[in-house]
Amino acid sequence: MKVSVDRSLCYGSAECAYRAPDVFAFEDGYGTVRLGRAEAGDAPEVREAAERCPSQAITLQEGA
């Protein structure tokens, strides 16, 4: 499962980087998926980060 962060929705809470620091980073005031980690969407901590993202900027997509 592929994970992504929509910068147009993200308002920089850093909740994702706090919950899954090996997958997400906080750069230039926004959450971002670390290079090479876009396929980590199945990890429980990534799912939790997506569920708890206050701006709903994290997307998990099957087969992408």
Side-chain angles (χ1 to χ4, degrees):
M1 184 169 294
K2 187 173 182 175
V3 60
S4 62
V5 176
D6 183 339
R7 268 183 91 139
S8 69
L9 295 176
C10 178
Y11 57 72
S13 73
E15 192 71 27
C16 57
Y18 170 76
R19 294 191 180 278
D22 58 328
V23 176
F24 298 102
F26 190 66
E27 298 174 1
D28 299 325
Y30 298 97
T32 184
V33 177
R34 292 186 181 277
L35 190 60
R37 300 296 299 177
E39 299 300 325
D42 288 327
E45 63 272 14
V46 173
R47 289 182 177 271
E48 181 179 5
E51 290 171 6
R52 295 181 181 257
C53 176
S55 62
Q56 297 297 294
I58 300 171
T59 302
L60 302 176
Q61 194 170 9
E62 290 275 351

